[in-house]
Each structure stands twice: as C-alpha cells, then as structure tokens.
Amino acid sequence: MVGTIANSSFHPATASIQMLGGLILRTVITGGAGFIGSHLCERFLSDGHEVICVDNLLTGTPRNIAHLIDQARFRFVQHNVSEPIEIDGPVDHVLHFASPASPVDYLTHPIPTLKVGSLGTHNALGLAKAKDARFLLASTSEVYGDPEVHPQREDYWGHVNPIGPRGCYDEAKRFAEAITMAYHRYHGVKTRIVRIFNTYGPRMRLNDGRVLPNFMKQALLGQPITVYGRGDQTRSFCYVSDLVEGIVRLLNTDYSDPVNLGNPAEITVLELAQEIIALVEGTQSSIVYEELPQDDPKRRKPDITRAQTLLGWQPVIDRAVGLKRTLEYFRSVV
Ligand code: UDP
C-alpha cells in the first residue's frame, strides 16, 4: 500500500500558502505526534516552515499536536511510515523521528520497532531521495549499547546484545544509521544523523515507563518510587528545547557523520529519585528497589565535543530548571 499525501487534502488554508511557490520550506516530520517530534513540529512552524507531521499514533498522541492543528502551515497525516509514503509537491527536509523510544514501549512493540527503524527509514530515505530533500535520522545513544567506553564519543562502535530485549531497538537504529550512510554514499542524499541521549520535558507520556515520567508520576501520586537495581547506574538528561536547538543546527550543516546530542551532566538513577522527591513538596513517596532489567546500560554520558565544535551547541537548561518545568506539565496531566 502506498500512502499518498496530496497537497490539497488536509487543510483548506494551505492552498494559499502554497501559492507563494517555493518560498516556504516544506518539512516532513515522521513521528511528529510523539514527544520530541511534536516539539520539532512547533519549532519548524515558528521558523516559518510548512510542516507535514506523519504519525501512526502507536506511541504518539493527537494531544501533542492539538495546539498546532489549526495552523495553516501544519498538516497531520495518520500513516505508518513502515509502509511506503508519497507526498505531492516539493519537500525540503525529511526528519525521521518515528519509533517507539521507551524501553517499555519497544519491549511491547518489538516488531513495529524493528520495522520502523528498517523499512520506515528506507521509506523516509526514499522520499528524501525522490524530492532531493535533506534527511535527518533520529538515532540514539542506544547504538552504544551497554558501553565499555565512557563518556561515549561518536567514534565508539558500541557494545550491543543483538538478541537481548533491547536488541529490537538498538539494532533497528544501527541498521537505520547504516542505510542512511548507504543512501548518502551511493545516492548522494544529503543526510544527517543525530544520536539522541536521554531527553525529557513536557509531553513525555505519563505512562511510557521511562525513569523520569515514572518517578514524577509516583511522587505526585504519593506512590513508591521504583528504583531498578541499586540505582547506581547513570544517565545524563537533556531538556527538550536544548535538543531541538541542536537538531536545527545540525540540519543546517552539511555534516553527514553522526553527532551526539545530550546533556553531559551525569547523575545516578538514585540521585534522580532523590531530586524528584525533594521537588515534589509534601510527597509521601519513599524509594523501593526493584529488579534491574536485562542489559540495562550501567553508565551513559555523551561526549559532546563534536556538537560543540561543529554546531557551537551545548545545553543551556540546567536540570533544576528543566525538572521544574517538566513537573508542572505532569501535574497538569496526572
Ligand atoms: N529506571 C528505574 N526505575 C523506573 C524506570 C527506569 O530505576 O521506574 C532506570 C532504568 O533501569 C535505567 C534508567 O532508569 O537504568 C533509565 O531508564 P529509561 O527507561 O528511562 O531509559 P533508558 O535510558 O534505559 O533507555
């Protein structure tokens, strides 16, 4: 089945925009109704682009884009990018963000995760090739697996268990990087690869199972805070607006090798639990320890030298500020 996305069929107001003829950049964002995708839709709209958001709503939700839907330059197309996709008219950018990204989600949907990383990336690259558009792949720190090198630099090849529970995501993204580089080298497609480290902020799903929504929900509801293992494993949390800024800058370069984007401020999971408990005044929550999931990476922290040098980028939102903003969001949805 080919999903055909015609120029005229989505929002009556787009017709007048398109009459400006080529002056407005058209950006396709797969996974645009997801957490990061919806922030990208917002950013490209505010930068004046026409944005075509493609999402099958497996883990994304229309609520994330409800505030954009009436904008003349925005269209939502419900479509699974693992099926071929066609879009009428010119396209300037294809940003491929469609994929379950929380371990709980990709354990629940391992085959759609493998398909969107492989077939979905192939289809999104095919669209970029057909339109001579720039392509940006949302890759992940998971390509490094449970890393034996710390912090992780882009030239590290990783330590991944292909047959473990996380393999469906890690290997899909590794394949996605490989096919992106093949389209770049063989077809000359202008490609970019961003390796995204743990990112947080408003519009994360309350129940997506990741550490930050879990801890915030638990603290707000006075439930036990579930620390897996001893809580001495580390992560480094980047606020979503910082990530989006880095992505926009990377898209505007001509750099085709992968670039890490993340916040190098490393913290243990136990420390994160304590910070969140301290933030939620009056919470009755206390910490409980549960089994550590298989292949859970022990340490994770991006080396962002490449992004700093190439993009003049580094995160500007401290965790204290980002956590407060995110908590306000979760308060409103809990
Ligand atoms: N984690 C935890 N309690 C939870 C959820 C996650 O201790 O309720 C831990 C998890 O074991 C991992 C870290 O928090 O070490 C980050 O997990 P997350 O699911 O957010 O994503 P990951 O970084 O592993 O992809």
Side-chain angles (χ1 to χ4, degrees):
M1 193 197 89
V2 176
T4 300
I5 297 164
N7 270 349
S8 56
S9 56
F10 295 93
H11 198 290
T14 51
S16 59
I17 295 289
Q18 280 155 7
M19 282 171 63
L20 295 173
L23 287 178
I24 290 186
L25 292 170
R26 298 182 85 212
T27 296
V28 172
I29 303 177
T30 77
F35 160 49
I36 295 174
S38 66
H39 285 276
L40 288 169
C41 289
E42 216 171 74
R43 170 65 187 258
F44 282 100
L45 281 171
S46 78
D47 286 353
H49 295 214
E50 181 181 338
V51 171
I52 302 165
C53 163
V54 181
D55 202 303
N56 69 347
L57 303 180
L58 180 66
T59 56
T61 164
R63 283 192 305 281
N64 286 343
I65 50 168
H67 60 302
L68 306 176
I69 212 83
D70 288 334
Q71 292 202 29
R73 283 179 283 105
F74 182 75
R75 302 182 198 171
F76 170 63
V77 180
Q78 188 166 349
H79 177 75
N80 182 353
V81 72
S82 299
E83 305 289 340
I85 176 169
E86 284 178 12
I87 292 186
D88 286 353
V91 173
D92 300 288
H93 306 125
V94 177
L95 281 72
H96 184 39
F97 277 71
S99 178
S102 145
V104 170
D105 284 340
Y106 56 72
L107 293 181
T108 310
H109 306 289
I111 294 167
T113 300
L114 281 156
K115 286 175 82 170
V116 77
S118 53
L119 306 177
T121 306
H122 184 214
N123 291 333
L125 280 162
L127 176 66
K129 174 171 168 273
K131 303 291 183 179
D132 195 21
R134 279 187 196 182
F135 177 85
L136 185 141
L137 172 70
S139 186
T140 168
S141 53
E142 281 286 322
V143 299
Y144 302 121
D146 187 4
E148 293 163 312
V149 167
H150 191 81
Q152 291 79 52
R153 283 165 40 126
E154 291 88 347
D155 56 8
Y156 176 50
W157 292 354
H159 180 228
V160 170
N161 176 3
I163 58 164
R166 300 172 85 107
C168 60
Y169 184 63
D170 301 10
E171 296 295 4
K173 289 294 189 181
R174 289 167 68 95
F175 175 90
E177 288 198 6
I179 193 171
T180 298
M181 291 308 293
Y183 264 66
H184 174 66
R185 294 193 181 110
Y186 187 76
H187 288 307
V189 174
K190 297 179 267 310
T191 59
R192 319 278 178 264
I193 298 174
V194 53
R195 291 186 178 152
I196 300 171
F197 284 66
N198 293 67
T199 299
Y200 70 103
R203 297 195 212 119
M204 291 187 96
R205 243 172 52 241
L206 189 64
N207 294 315
D208 86 355
R210 281 187 275 201
V211 66
L212 209 134
N214 269 12
F215 286 0
M216 288 202 168
K217 180 183 70 178
Q218 290 160 347
L220 286 168
L221 296 176
Q223 297 170 346
I225 308 280
T226 53
V227 168
Y228 300 160
R230 292 198 310 264
D232 54 357
Q233 67 273 35
T234 68
R235 294 294 185 272
S236 309
F237 295 93
C238 184
Y239 191 69
V240 64
S241 59
D242 281 333
L243 179 80
V244 165
E245 179 61 30
I247 288 169
V248 170
R249 290 189 194 193
L250 178 60
L251 186 67
N252 290 327
T253 66
D254 58 3
Y255 192 80
S256 55
D257 281 350
V259 177
N260 288 338
L261 291 180
N263 191 320
E266 188 182 5
I267 179 179
T268 69
V269 165
L270 183 58
E271 284 165 344
L272 179 71
Q274 288 158 345
E275 283 188 6
I276 290 175
I277 288 173
L279 205 59
V280 182
E281 275 172 38
T283 183
Q284 301 298 310
S285 294
S286 55
I287 290 170
V288 296
Y289 293 88
E290 295 189 353
E291 198 179 337
L292 188 68
Q294 187 191 333
D295 297 340
D296 198 286
K298 283 180 265 316
R299 293 189 77 185
R300 184 185 285 157
K301 166 181 166 160
D303 181 319
I304 59 164
T305 309
R306 186 173 283 180
Q308 283 170 319
T309 312
L310 185 73
L311 312 173
W313 176 88
Q314 61 184 22
V316 295
I317 306 289
D318 286 342
R319 199 167 58 245
V321 174
L323 287 182
K324 262 193 204 137
R325 288 186 196 169
T326 309
L327 185 67
E328 286 319 304
Y329 172 75
F330 281 123
R331 258 189 224 287
S332 72
V333 295
V334 76

